[in-house]
Amino acid sequence: MKWCYVICGAFSLLTMVPNPYFLNNAFYSTSKYYTGLEFGALFQLWGAWILVLAAYCIFILVRVFNRQRIRQENGNTNTVLLLLVANIVWVITGLCDTFTGIQVVDLPPLSWIGSFSVTSCIAWVLVLHIDDLYEERRLLSNRLMYDHLTQAFSRSYLEIRLTEAVNLMRRGELNWLSVCVFDVDDFKNINDQYGHANGDALLTQITTIIKDNIRQSDCIARLGGDEFVILFASKQDENYAATTVERIRERIAKTDFGKGERTFNTSCSFGIVSVTPEKLTITNVVEVQDLANQMLSGADEALYRAKNQGKNAVCIATFSD
C-alpha cells in the first residue's frame, strides 16, 4: 500500500510543473468553472491508475459490507455502506469529469463533489474508528486495573502502587507505609454450604466494606481467591493501619451475608507489616521491587499467625530486611 502512496505522490509533484506530458494550460476554458487545462498522456495514465485503485477499494468495501451484514453489525454496516456509495460516486464523477474533460452541465466539476463526499466519509470513519480504539483501550485498562468480580484493584496494579509508595518513602514524602494481607476464614466451607454465588457475593460485599472504611489514598486489591491486600500509603501515624483494620474486622464479623434464609456470618483474619523511612537507610541496598515483595511476604506470614491464633484476628509483624 505504501507504494501506491509513493506513486500518487510522485505524479502529484510532476503535475505542479506545466508540461505537455502531464498537465498544461489549454488555449480556451471549457466553462467558467474550469481554468482551461489540457491533459497529457502520462496524466491520463495516472488517472487510470487512480481508477484502478478506487475500483479495488470498492471491491474491498463490498467484501467488508457483506461480512458485517452476515454478522448483523448494523452500526458498522451503515458506515461501510455510506463509504461505499461515496466511493462509487467519486469514481463515476472522476471518470466522467476529471479524466475525460466531459461536462454535462455548466456546474462545479462533479469530481469536486465526489472528492468532498469521499473525504468527508473517510474523516467520519476515522473519527468513529479512533473513538472505538479509545473505548477498547479504556476497557482494556479497566480489565488490567480492576478485578472483574469485586471491582477491587488487580494484583498487577497493586504492585505498581506499592512500588510507587516505596519510592515516595525513599524520597521522604511518606512517613509510614503499611501493607495488610487478609482472607476469609473457612471460605471453602462457605462455598460448599451456601453455594459459589453466595461466596462471590460475600467477596464483593467485603470489598465494599473495606472501601467504606479506608481513605481514597489507600487501596484494596484482590490477590486471588479470597485473599486481598490493603495498602495504606499516605501520611499517617503508626497506629492508623492497625486501628483501621480492627474496625474493618469488627464490621465484617457483625455483618449478615447472603440472602433470605441462606444468610450467614463470617470473619476475616489479617496480617499487617509496616515500614518507616528509618528502615530505608543509605546503606540499604535492597531493590524497590524486592522491598515490595518482602512486605507482602511479611504480611502474609503475619496472616498465618493470625490464623493459628484462632482466626478472626489481627496480627502485626515487624518488618526487617
Side-chain angles (χ1 to χ4, degrees):
M1 198 65 188
K2 62 181 180 181
W3 288 110
C4 296
Y5 288 111
V6 171
I7 294 172
C8 291
F11 271 99
S12 299
L13 292 175
L14 290 172
T15 56
M16 295 175 64
V17 181
N19 62 80
Y21 302 104
F22 287 95
L23 194 62
N24 204 1
N25 290 330
F27 294 105
Y28 59 90
S29 60
T30 56
S31 79
K32 63 182 180 181
Y33 298 106
Y34 284 87
T35 57
L37 300 175
E38 59 182 13
F39 308 102
L42 291 180
F43 189 91
Q44 297 291 345
L45 179 62
W46 178 37
W49 165 254
I50 296 296
L51 290 176
V52 170
L53 289 180
Y56 177 72
C57 290
I58 291 175
F59 171 71
I60 295 299
L61 285 172
V62 170
R63 292 184 60 183
V64 172
F65 174 76
N66 288 331
R67 184 170 65 247
Q68 292 182 347
R69 183 172 54 83
I70 293 173
R71 294 178 180 176
Q72 296 181 345
E73 299 176 359
N74 295 330
N76 293 333
T77 301
N78 295 334
T79 302
V80 175
L81 181 61
L82 181 59
L83 186 58
L84 176 61
V85 171
N87 270 276
I88 292 175
V89 171
W90 179 79
V91 171
I92 294 175
T93 56
L95 179 64
C96 295
D97 189 19
T98 303
F99 301 118
T100 63
I102 298 175
Q103 185 177 25
V104 180
V105 292
D106 193 18
L107 292 174
L110 296 176
S111 61
W112 296 0
I113 300 174
S115 299
F116 175 76
S117 301
V118 172
T119 304
S120 300
C121 289
I122 291 176
W124 184 33
V125 171
L126 287 176
V127 169
L128 292 177
H129 181 60
I130 292 173
D131 185 63
D132 289 340
L133 288 177
Y134 273 110
E135 181 64 17
E136 290 175 3
R137 183 175 180 179
R138 185 187 66 81
L139 294 175
L140 179 60
S141 297
N142 285 342
R143 284 195 292 269
L144 294 175
M145 185 178 295
Y146 295 99
D147 172 62
H148 70 282
L149 173 64
T150 63
Q151 291 304 300
F153 288 118
S154 65
R155 179 168 188 159
S156 57
Y157 184 71
L158 170 70
E159 293 174 353
I160 295 173
R161 288 285 299 267
L162 184 53
T163 301
E164 290 178 349
V166 172
N167 285 325
L168 288 174
M169 176 162 283
R170 284 190 162 178
R171 294 199 299 267
E173 298 180 33
L174 284 181
N175 62 334
W176 201 274
L177 175 62
S178 301
V179 172
C180 173
V181 176
F182 74 94
D183 65 8
V184 181
D185 296 329
D186 302 317
F187 183 67
K188 184 179 183 302
N189 294 337
I190 293 174
N191 274 335
D192 294 341
Q193 184 174 355
Y194 299 100
H196 288 278
N198 276 321
D200 291 344
L202 168 65
L203 298 179
T204 302
Q205 287 178 269
I206 288 177
T207 302
T208 302
I209 292 174
I210 303 298
K211 290 180 178 179
D212 290 341
N213 286 273
I214 61 176
R215 298 176 296 190
Q216 290 185 350
S217 55
D218 306 326
C219 75
I220 175 174
R222 185 185 181 192
L223 290 183
D226 63 319
E227 193 171 28
F228 293 82
V229 174
I230 307 174
L231 175 62
F232 301 97
S234 59
K235 293 185 179 299
Q236 59 189 35
D237 57 50
E238 59 180 312
N239 297 319
Y240 170 73
T243 303
T244 302
V245 170
E246 178 62 26
R247 183 170 64 250
I248 292 171
R249 184 195 66 77
E250 292 178 355
R251 172 77 180 278
I252 292 174
K254 295 177 180 178
T255 300
D256 293 329
F257 299 97
K259 294 181 179 180
E261 298 179 354
R262 297 180 67 83
T263 57
F264 57 91
N265 297 101
T266 188
S267 62
C268 292
S269 299
F270 302 81
I272 303 174
V273 165
S274 300
V275 65
T276 59
E278 289 73 21
K279 290 288 185 178
L280 307 178
T281 61
I282 299 177
T283 59
N284 191 338
V285 295
V286 178
E287 294 293 334
V288 172
Q289 189 61 49
D290 291 339
L291 181 60
N293 291 334
Q294 287 180 20
M295 292 191 69
L296 286 173
S297 298
D300 200 47
E301 292 175 4
L303 166 63
Y304 280 103
R305 287 203 293 271
K307 293 283 189 182
N308 293 331
Q309 293 175 5
K311 305 176 182 179
N312 191 24
V314 179
C315 182
I316 302 175
T318 302
F319 175 79
S320 61
D321 50 20

